[in-house]
Structure formats: C-alpha cells, structure tokens
Amino acid sequence: MNHSLIEQAQSGDGEALITLIENNKQEMFRIAFGILKNAPDAADAIQDTALTCYEKISTLKNPSVFKAWMFKILINHCRRILKERHKLASIQELREHDENPGPEKEVTDNIEFSRLMEQIDAKYRLVLLLYYAEEFSVKEIAELLGLNENTIKTRLSRGRDLYRRLYLQEMTYSESRQAMPRR
C-alpha cells in the first residue's frame, strides 16, 4: 500500500483517496459480492464505503492499516445492507450477475464454487473469503472482524470442513448421475 498516497488522502486530497479506492475495487467487489450475493448490492456497499472513507480518513491513525480499515468499513456496510433488505440472492441471481469473463469452464467452476460457498454459514464464508480470496492473515482477519485469532482459526477449520463435505457430496452426486444408464 502506498503510504504517501494515504497521507495525501488524509490531508484532504480527494484524488488520492479515489486512487486508493480504485486500486482496491476488485478486492472490495469480491468481498462484498461474497457476503451479499448480489452485484447491485455489492456496488452499493462499495459506494457507501468510499463515502465513509472520504468522511473518516482523517481519523485513521496508522496509514499502514488503511486496507484493513477500509475492508472493515466495507464489511459493516454489507452487514447493514443484509439487515435492511433481509434477503439472500439465489443461484439464478448469481448467474445473471456473473461478471467473470473467461473460458466457459472457468466461469462454470466459479459458479460452482460460489454455489457451494453460499451454502456455508456466513460467519465461515466471510473468513474463508478473506483468507483465501483476499489473502489476509489470521491476525489481520481477527483485527478486521474484532475477534480472537483462535476464533478465526476455528472458523477457518470448520469452514474448510463444511466446504470439503459439500464438495465431496456434490462430486458423489455428479458421479452417480453420470454412471446411471440413459434410456
């Protein structure tokens, strides 16, 4: 993270803050979409996060934690949106809003991954996304979510186990369907 850019933003340079937000927009979208399961809601959360960052950047005491600070704001906005709208997107919405261009197999794999992930409880899903997709350390996730590191380790372990079971269950089902004779 560019500390001089963060310091410029803290001094009131709106362009510096816009650059910081733009540099992290894809990661922010992955986190928001992972929580909200809906592209328009994810975009709203990112927009609200940018506004909050603009309003509160001067309160950030340590520029080296800017990214974690920004992601914590994002997660809080996602939680607010979930509470306000009381909804979870279906797999159909995921397919309609999938913006991941690329080979058909990769898109199918991403949809399958997302479908399995949405079956996992939100507290495990969020930790898995932060750890694997965003490459945060256990310590960073604990600070970001305001939880004990051991709690994060437990959620990672349980989340992995849940994903593994769902994946194996899906694979067994797929293989049994393929083995069935066709009429």
Side-chain angles (χ1 to χ4, degrees):
M1 188 64 48
N2 187 337
H3 290 300
S4 67
L5 206 53
I6 297 167
E7 289 169 358
Q8 289 172 7
Q10 286 182 304
S11 299
D13 184 348
E15 290 298 317
L17 183 62
I18 289 170
T19 301
L20 289 166
I21 299 289
E22 285 294 320
N23 290 345
N24 291 284
K25 194 163 55 174
Q26 286 185 327
E27 290 174 87
M28 292 170 71
F29 184 82
R30 280 195 305 264
I31 290 172
F33 189 82
I35 295 169
L36 299 169
K37 305 284 183 255
N38 180 295
D41 286 347
D44 287 347
I46 292 168
Q47 187 174 23
D48 292 345
T49 299
L51 182 59
T52 301
C53 286
Y54 178 77
E55 292 170 344
K56 306 280 184 180
I57 188 82
S58 62
T59 65
L60 180 65
K61 293 180 176 121
N62 183 355
S64 66
V65 299
F66 171 80
K67 192 172 181 176
W69 175 76
M70 180 180 61
F71 283 147
K72 185 167 189 157
I73 292 169
L74 175 66
I75 290 166
N76 287 338
H77 281 297
C78 290
R79 287 179 176 161
R80 180 190 49 79
I81 289 170
L82 283 176
K83 284 179 187 175
E84 285 175 2
R85 299 187 182 162
H86 298 294
K87 69 174 186 160
L88 292 174
S90 68
I91 188 64
Q92 183 59 38
E93 287 175 309
L94 176 63
R95 287 187 177 128
E96 289 172 7
H97 299 299
D98 187 14
E99 297 178 11
N100 186 2
E104 187 175 306
K105 171 115 174 76
E106 185 177 319
V107 171
T108 302
D109 289 348
N110 285 340
I111 290 172
E112 186 65 20
F113 172 76
S114 296
R115 191 178 66 71
L116 290 175
M117 285 294 285
E118 77 180 11
Q119 295 178 52
I120 296 174
D121 187 289
K123 68 182 178 183
Y124 303 122
R125 184 174 59 238
L126 177 59
V127 172
L128 289 170
L129 286 169
L130 290 172
Y131 188 78
Y132 289 106
E134 302 308 325
E135 299 179 358
F136 279 96
S137 70
V138 169
K139 182 178 181 179
E140 290 170 328
I141 296 169
E143 290 171 5
L144 187 64
L145 299 178
L147 298 170
N148 183 298
E149 284 184 47
N150 288 329
T151 302
I152 300 303
K153 290 176 186 177
T154 300
R155 288 185 182 183
L156 271 173
S157 177
R158 289 180 183 166
R160 283 186 206 113
D161 288 343
L162 288 168
Y163 186 86
R164 185 179 305 113
R165 276 189 255 141
L166 288 168
Y167 179 77
L168 291 173
Q169 190 176 31
E170 185 72 25
M171 292 304 294
T172 303
Y173 176 75
S174 265
E175 289 171 2
S176 68
R177 286 190 50 121
Q178 289 175 355
M180 293 177 109
R182 301 209 176 179
R183 296 179 190 197

